[in-house]
Every structure is written in structure tokens, then in C-alpha cells.
Amino acid sequence: MGSVFYNLDECLRNIDERKKTIDINVGLRPSGNLHIGNVETLLVSCILSESIEEMGYDSTVHVNICDLDMPFVNENFDSKGHGYTIINYRDMPDLEGCHDSFSLHMANEIGQLLGLVNENVDFNYDFNFFSELQNKLDFRIALKEIFDNNLEFKKIFYGNQSKKAKINDVFAYPVCLKCKRSSKKSAVYNPQDMSLSSKCLNDFCENNEFIFSLFDLDYDLALHYFLNDALRDIVIEPFADIHVFGGDYSLKHSLNNMRKIEKVKKIAEIITPHIPDYFVGPLIQGKDCQKMGKSKGNGLNIFELIEKKGNDIIYNMIDFTRKNIINNPEYPKNDSLRIDYKQIKDILKID
Ligand SMILES: [Zn+2]
Ligand SMILES: [Zn+2]
């Protein structure tokens, strides 16, 4: 257990034959509309699950909706304007007004999409919300393990730049109970009494400093996504057998030469040697050869595309993924996990 695969054949050959069921985890942080990068990651998970069922195992895709987010990775984050934007999607209103929260709207969009995929791909799935997972005691106990080994974590995170690391700064961003927004600053952990202290930095909130126990489940903790990725696989049942990542996890993290996926693996290993296998899906390239995504401003909204071009868009993406990614022993060639813009243009019938 605990290898990184880019090629499906290799991933399937390494399945533990003693198991009856294979649980696949995939996480999404669709802070806006679902874009085709998200869709590709979901498709890879679904088709992988179908392939595993064909081999005689039961398999479920657990879609994790990452509804607690850190401010600086969120495109709604406004550092100059009104303090710090809500990043607790569960308490954030649905922008389109059709659901009780932004979080539920996200789940609905993903559900709609998976419904369409299910017409062509035979797989089972369920949803989990990160806000609920991180509120379980087991999760906090595992988090304590990371916080108690914060130096080791920082070494993995920063690589050789670990001089930047402040020993008790942990990568958790507690949500203020008064304004329901999270702090921009990472919390400070006190290993003696297992408390976290944080500051609400929102302009409109008078709640300045607050201290609480790591095990106080009234406090939501937005976490750095590396922590979220690593922990949810191994502390909440069913534990993941395979975690599917989007293609940008094959890229090197900005801080040093280590691939993001390797960092997640090492962070999980702080907790337990029994970590899942990781399968990394392809990265979709934009017109400008950059990674396609909202953060680069070149992302394509899947439902806008479906509205213009019909459901065929999804079926074409499924066909392409089956043929070129999943059932292609040659994939990825030369360590390249990219689907280039020329290819995606044909699939999506766009210019
Ligand atoms: Zn809605
Ligand atoms: Zn506040």
C-alpha cells in the first residue's frame, strides 16, 4: 500500500487481492462553478471504479466536497477590501439562490454531473462534506499527531526552506464563531494543553483573539489542502484504498522540487504507514499551455458548455478518457500527464 501511480494498468495490478471492496476517494474544491478540470478528475475516478468492479470487486467513489477553504487559495478572497471573505461554504449563501447554502449548491452540481456520467459509466458514489469529516473526534486525534510532529510536517512542506517554519504555527485556519469566517493567519498550537489560538481578522467582527481546545468540535477548522487530502483518507471510515488526484498534483509544489502528490504521501505517513494508493489523473492544458483552471482565469465552466453544445460534451469526454487515459497502457508518455488544448478543443467542440 501507499504508492503513487500515473498509469491505470499499474494501479490495477497492485490492488490487494484480499480485499472485497475498493474505496476510491476524490476531493473537489469547486469554490465556483464546476470546470472541466474538475470533471476530468471525476471521470477518471468513475471509470477507474468501473474497471475495478469488472475485476470482481465492489467499489464506491466517495466524493469529498471540500467546503472549508483557506482564504488565500480562494478566488473570492479579497485581501484589500472587506477583511476576509467567508470561506466556510456551508454558512455561505448560495449565489444562485436555489439551495440553503453554497455547499449544497456545489453538491447538487456535482450530483447532476455524476448523474450524466452514470448513463455511460457503471459506478456507485456517495458524498462527504469535509466540514463534517473534520468535526469528528478521530479526525482531531489524527490532527493532533500532525501538530505534535509539526517540525517534521514543516520539513516536508517547506523542504530545505524550513527556517521559515515557526514551530507552533500549524496550518489550520479556525472559523470564527461570531462572523463565521476563517482567519487568514494560521493558528498557534499549544502542545501542553492541546489548544489552538487564533485571531479573527475580519474588519466587521469584534472577536479578536480566541483560544479553544483542538477537540472542541464547535470550531470548524479549515486546513491546508495537503492536510485535508492526507487525513481524510486514513482517519474516517471507510478508509480510502485509492485516492484520485487531479493532474496538478503531479506538478512540483512552488516551495521546492517535490511533486505535490509526494508531499501528501509523506504527510499521511506521519500518521500511519497504512496509507492508500494514489492515482494521478491528467492535467488539462489551456490555450496558453498553462494549466486550465479558475485560478489561471482560463477555466471552462462545464454547465455553460453543456447548455451550448449538449450532453455530448460529457459523453465525448468519457470516450476520450476511456480510450486515451484509462485503457491506454502507454499513458502517460514521457512522464507527461497533460491533455493538450488541441485535443480538448475537439472533444468539447470549441475554438
Ligand atoms: Zn443552488
Ligand atoms: Zn470573526
Side-chain angles (χ1 to χ4, degrees):
M1 286 301 277
S3 300
V4 178
F5 300 106
Y6 300 98
N7 167 288
L8 182 88
D9 275 357
E10 212 184 324
C11 181
L12 295 183
R13 266 186 278 118
N14 279 280
I15 286 178
D16 184 345
E17 287 170 9
R18 290 165 299 183
K19 287 186 174 162
K20 286 200 180 75
T21 45
I22 300 297
D23 290 293
I24 299 176
N25 271 14
V26 59
L28 290 181
R29 185 167 50 82
S31 40
N33 293 301
L34 267 188
H35 64 86
I36 63 160
N38 297 143
V39 175
E40 183 59 32
T41 308
L42 284 169
L43 287 183
V44 166
S45 316
C46 302
I47 301 172
L48 176 64
S49 180
E50 182 185 61
S51 308
I52 289 171
E53 290 232 328
E54 281 165 3
M55 290 167 69
Y57 303 91
D58 287 329
S59 172
T60 303
V61 177
H62 305 282
V63 180
N64 191 268
I65 298 178
C66 303
D67 55 347
L68 290 175
D69 204 352
M70 301 184 305
F72 45 85
V73 295
N74 181 325
E75 52 276 12
N76 300 319
F77 174 52
D78 175 11
S79 59
K80 291 184 206 89
H82 307 294
Y84 302 96
T85 311
I86 301 171
I87 56 157
N88 176 349
Y89 297 117
R90 200 180 43 189
D91 288 323
M92 181 172 164
D94 180 4
L95 299 178
E96 291 171 41
C98 39
H99 295 87
D100 285 343
S101 72
F102 195 94
S103 201
L104 289 173
H105 186 89
M106 290 199 274
N108 184 270
E109 278 203 357
I110 295 167
Q112 258 183 56
L113 182 93
L114 291 179
L116 279 177
V117 177
N118 242 175
E119 288 174 16
N120 278 245
V121 186
D122 193 9
F123 69 100
N124 302 308
Y125 67 93
D126 59 28
F127 288 127
N128 299 285
F129 292 89
F130 176 67
S131 57
E132 286 166 19
L133 297 185
Q134 62 80 41
N135 256 320
K136 295 191 168 145
L137 206 52
D138 286 349
F139 194 98
R140 299 292 173 103
I141 292 167
L143 204 50
K144 174 183 163 0
E145 195 70 30
I146 297 272
F147 291 170
D148 284 339
N149 292 286
N150 200 31
L151 265 192
E152 199 183 331
F153 168 78
K154 291 278 172 90
K155 232 194 250 165
I156 297 165
F157 190 84
Y158 289 109
N160 292 328
Q161 303 176 40
S162 53
K163 57 177 181 293
K164 274 190 186 172
K166 285 189 193 140
I167 171 72
N168 288 329
D169 272 15
V170 289
F171 287 4
Y173 305 83
V175 177
C176 165
L177 290 184
K178 279 203 179 147
C179 66
K180 305 280 188 191
R181 299 173 185 212
S182 79
S183 177
K184 182 201 173 192
K185 262 178 74 78
S186 48
V188 176
Y189 175 65
N190 180 350
Q192 266 79 52
D193 62 1
M194 296 170 283
S195 69
L196 289 168
S197 57
S198 182
K199 253 186 196 154
C200 180
L201 295 170
N202 170 26
D203 290 352
F204 302 115
C205 183
E206 66 276 20
N207 198 8
N208 195 0
E209 204 148 354
F210 55 98
I211 298 177
F212 60 96
S213 157
L214 170 61
F215 302 107
D216 183 343
L217 303 182
D218 286 342
Y219 283 91
D220 285 324
L221 298 176
L223 297 177
H224 191 279
Y225 50 93
F226 284 168
L227 280 174
N228 174 5
D229 287 332
L231 286 175
R232 62 190 168 80
D233 287 340
I234 51 181
V235 295
I236 307 290
E237 287 187 275
F239 304 139
D241 298 295
I242 301 173
H243 185 141
V244 176
F245 287 87
D248 65 335
Y249 275 75
S250 67
L251 302 180
K252 286 167 181 168
H253 186 218
S254 55
L255 287 172
N256 54 28
N257 274 335
M258 200 189 288
R259 289 171 190 256
K260 292 182 180 180
I261 186 71
E262 293 294 340
K263 287 202 172 176
V264 173
K265 182 170 181 282
K266 281 184 190 289
I267 291 164
E269 282 165 350
I270 296 178
I271 304 281
T272 170
H274 307 290
I275 64 166
D277 286 328
Y278 299 121
F279 183 71
V280 186
L283 179 85
I284 296 181
Q285 209 164 53
K287 235 180 200 163
D288 43 11
C289 292
Q290 291 242 34
K291 166 200 167 190
M292 190 188 278
K294 284 186 302 270
S295 55
K296 303 268 182 235
N298 60 1
L300 295 169
N301 174 341
I302 191 64
F303 289 109
E304 268 173 26
L305 275 173
I306 289 176
E307 205 173 299
K308 277 189 215 141
K309 318 267 175 178
N311 293 351
D312 277 2
I313 301 295
I314 294 294
Y315 308 143
N316 289 353
M317 276 184 87
I318 292 170
D319 283 348
F320 178 87
T321 305
R322 269 217 177 93
K323 226 168 86 198
N324 296 284
I325 312 294
I326 300 289
N327 294 320
N328 176 9
E330 299 277 290
Y331 176 85
K333 226 176 199 162
N334 308 326
D335 206 23
S336 162
L337 294 147
R338 289 169 190 273
I339 300 177
D340 68 35
Y341 191 69
K342 248 186 275 156
Q343 288 175 302
I344 204 74
K345 214 175 74 169
D346 292 341
I347 302 166
L348 300 177
K349 303 183 206 163
I350 53 171
D351 304 321

Coordinates of all heavy atoms in Angstrom, one line a residue, residues 151-182:
L151 N 7.3 19.9 13.3 CA 8.6 20.2 12.6 C 8.8 19.3 11.4 O 9.3 19.7 10.4 CB 9.8 20.0 13.6 CG 10.3 21.3 14.3 CD1 11.6 21.0 15.0 CD2 10.5 22.4 13.3
E152 N 8.4 18.0 11.6 CA 8.5 17.0 10.5 C 7.6 17.5 9.4 O 8.0 17.4 8.2 CB 8.1 15.7 11.1 CG 8.6 14.5 10.2 CD 8.1 13.2 10.7 OE1 7.9 13.0 11.9 OE2 7.9 12.3 9.9
F153 N 6.4 17.9 9.7 CA 5.4 18.4 8.7 C 6.0 19.5 8.0 O 6.0 19.6 6.7 CB 4.1 18.8 9.4 CG 3.2 19.5 8.5 CD1 2.5 18.9 7.5 CD2 3.1 20.9 8.6 CE1 1.6 19.6 6.7 CE2 2.3 21.6 7.7 CZ 1.5 21.0 6.8
K154 N 6.6 20.5 8.7 CA 7.1 21.7 8.1 C 8.3 21.4 7.2 O 8.5 22.0 6.1 CB 7.6 22.7 9.2 CG 6.5 23.3 9.9 CD 5.8 24.5 9.2 CE 4.6 25.0 9.9 NZ 4.8 26.1 10.8
K155 N 9.1 20.4 7.5 CA 10.2 19.9 6.7 C 9.7 19.4 5.4 O 10.3 19.7 4.3 CB 11.0 18.9 7.4 CG 12.5 19.2 7.5 CD 13.3 17.9 7.9 CE 13.8 18.1 9.3 NZ 14.3 16.8 9.9
I156 N 8.6 18.7 5.4 CA 8.0 18.1 4.2 C 7.5 19.3 3.4 O 7.7 19.4 2.2 CB 6.9 17.1 4.5 CG1 7.5 15.9 5.2 CG2 6.2 16.7 3.2 CD1 6.5 15.0 5.9
F157 N 6.8 20.2 4.1 CA 6.1 21.3 3.4 C 7.1 22.2 2.8 O 6.9 22.6 1.6 CB 5.2 22.0 4.4 CG 4.3 23.0 3.7 CD1 3.1 22.6 3.2 CD2 4.6 24.3 3.6 CE1 2.2 23.4 2.5 CE2 3.8 25.2 2.9 CZ 2.6 24.8 2.4
Y158 N 8.0 22.7 3.5 CA 9.0 23.7 3.0 C 10.2 23.1 2.4 O 11.0 23.9 1.8 CB 9.4 24.6 4.2 CG 8.3 25.6 4.7 CD1 7.8 25.4 5.9 CD2 7.9 26.6 3.9 CE1 6.8 26.2 6.4 CE2 6.9 27.5 4.4 CZ 6.4 27.3 5.6 OH 5.4 28.1 6.1
G159 N 10.5 21.9 2.5 CA 11.7 21.3 2.0 C 12.9 21.9 2.8 O 12.8 22.1 4.0
N160 N 13.9 22.4 2.0 CA 15.0 22.9 2.7 C 14.8 24.3 3.3 O 15.7 24.8 4.0 CB 16.2 22.9 1.8 CG 16.6 21.5 1.5 OD1 16.5 20.6 2.3 ND2 17.1 21.2 0.3
Q161 N 13.7 24.9 3.0 CA 13.5 26.3 3.5 C 12.8 26.3 4.9 O 12.1 27.2 5.2 CB 12.6 27.0 2.5 CG 13.1 27.1 1.1 CD 12.1 27.8 0.2 OE1 11.5 28.7 0.5 NE2 12.0 27.2 -1.0
S162 N 13.1 25.2 5.6 CA 12.4 25.0 6.9 C 12.7 26.1 7.9 O 12.1 26.2 8.9 CB 12.6 23.6 7.4 OG 14.0 23.4 7.5
K163 N 13.7 27.0 7.6 CA 13.9 28.1 8.5 C 12.7 29.0 8.6 O 12.6 29.7 9.6 CB 15.2 28.8 8.2 CG 15.3 29.4 6.8 CD 16.6 30.2 6.6 CE 16.7 30.9 5.3 NZ 16.8 29.9 4.1
K164 N 11.9 29.0 7.6 CA 10.7 29.8 7.6 C 9.7 29.3 8.7 O 8.8 30.0 9.1 CB 10.0 29.7 6.3 CG 10.4 30.6 5.2 CD 9.4 30.5 4.0 CE 9.9 31.4 2.9 NZ 9.1 31.2 1.7
A165 N 9.9 28.0 9.1 CA 8.9 27.4 9.9 C 8.9 27.9 11.3 O 9.9 28.0 12.0 CB 9.1 25.9 9.9
K166 N 7.7 28.4 11.8 CA 7.6 28.7 13.2 C 7.0 27.4 13.9 O 6.0 26.9 13.4 CB 6.6 29.9 13.4 CG 7.2 31.2 13.0 CD 6.3 32.3 13.4 CE 6.8 33.6 12.7 NZ 5.7 34.4 12.2
I167 N 7.7 27.1 14.9 CA 7.5 25.7 15.5 C 6.0 25.4 15.8 O 5.5 24.4 15.5 CB 8.4 25.5 16.7 CG1 8.0 24.2 17.4 CG2 8.5 26.6 17.7 CD1 8.4 22.9 16.7
N168 N 5.3 26.4 16.4 CA 3.9 26.1 16.8 C 2.8 26.6 15.8 O 1.6 26.5 16.1 CB 3.6 26.5 18.2 CG 4.4 25.6 19.2 OD1 4.6 24.4 18.9 ND2 4.8 26.1 20.3
D169 N 3.2 27.2 14.7 CA 2.2 27.6 13.7 C 1.8 26.4 13.0 O 2.6 25.7 12.4 CB 2.8 28.6 12.7 CG 2.8 30.0 13.1 OD1 2.5 30.2 14.3 OD2 3.0 30.9 12.3
V170 N 0.5 26.1 13.1 CA 0.0 24.9 12.4 C -0.9 25.3 11.2 O -1.4 26.4 11.3 CB -0.8 23.9 13.3 CG1 0.2 23.3 14.3 CG2 -1.8 24.7 14.1
F171 N -1.0 24.5 10.2 CA -1.8 25.0 9.0 C -3.3 24.8 9.1 O -3.9 24.2 8.3 CB -1.2 24.4 7.8 CG 0.2 25.0 7.4 CD1 0.8 25.9 8.2 CD2 0.8 24.6 6.2 CE1 2.0 26.5 7.9 CE2 2.0 25.1 5.9 CZ 2.6 26.1 6.7
A172 N -3.8 25.3 10.3 CA -5.2 25.2 10.5 C -5.7 26.7 10.6 O -5.1 27.5 11.2 CB -5.6 24.5 11.7
Y173 N -6.9 26.9 10.0 CA -7.4 28.3 10.0 C -8.9 28.2 10.6 O -9.8 28.0 9.8 CB -7.4 28.8 8.5 CG -6.1 28.7 7.9 CD1 -5.6 27.5 7.4 CD2 -5.2 29.8 8.0 CE1 -4.3 27.4 6.9 CE2 -3.9 29.7 7.5 CZ -3.5 28.5 6.9 OH -2.2 28.4 6.5
P174 N -9.0 28.4 11.9 CA -10.3 28.2 12.5 C -11.3 29.2 12.1 O -11.0 30.3 11.8 CB -9.9 28.4 14.0 CG -8.5 28.3 14.1 CD -7.9 28.8 12.8
V175 N -12.5 28.7 12.0 CA -13.6 29.6 11.6 C -14.1 30.3 12.9 O -14.5 29.7 13.9 CB -14.8 28.8 11.0 CG1 -16.0 29.7 10.6 CG2 -14.2 28.1 9.7
C176 N -14.2 31.6 12.9 CA -14.6 32.4 14.0 C -16.1 32.2 14.2 O -16.9 32.2 13.3 CB -14.4 33.9 13.7 SG -15.2 35.1 14.7
L177 N -16.5 31.9 15.5 CA -17.9 31.6 15.8 C -18.8 32.8 15.6 O -20.0 32.6 15.4 CB -18.0 31.1 17.2 CG -17.4 29.7 17.5 CD1 -17.7 29.3 18.9 CD2 -17.9 28.6 16.5
K178 N -18.2 34.0 15.7 CA -19.1 35.2 15.6 C -19.4 35.5 14.2 O -20.6 35.8 13.9 CB -18.4 36.4 16.3 CG -18.6 36.4 17.8 CD -18.4 37.8 18.4 CE -18.6 37.7 19.9 NZ -17.8 38.6 20.7
C179 N -18.4 35.6 13.3 CA -18.7 36.0 12.0 C -18.7 34.9 10.9 O -19.0 35.1 9.8 CB -17.7 37.1 11.6 SG -16.0 36.5 11.4
K180 N -18.4 33.7 11.4 CA -18.4 32.5 10.5 C -17.4 32.6 9.4 O -17.6 32.0 8.3 CB -19.8 32.3 9.9 CG -20.9 32.1 10.9 CD -20.9 30.8 11.5 CE -22.1 30.6 12.4 NZ -22.0 29.3 13.2
R181 N -16.4 33.4 9.6 CA -15.3 33.5 8.6 C -14.0 32.9 9.2 O -13.9 32.9 10.5 CB -15.1 34.9 8.1 CG -16.3 35.5 7.5 CD -16.1 37.0 7.3 NE -17.4 37.5 6.8 CZ -17.5 38.5 5.9 NH1 -16.4 39.1 5.4 NH2 -18.6 38.9 5.5
S182 N -13.1 32.5 8.4 CA -11.9 31.9 9.0 C -10.8 33.0 9.0 O -10.9 34.0 8.3 CB -11.4 30.7 8.2 OG -10.8 31.1 7.1

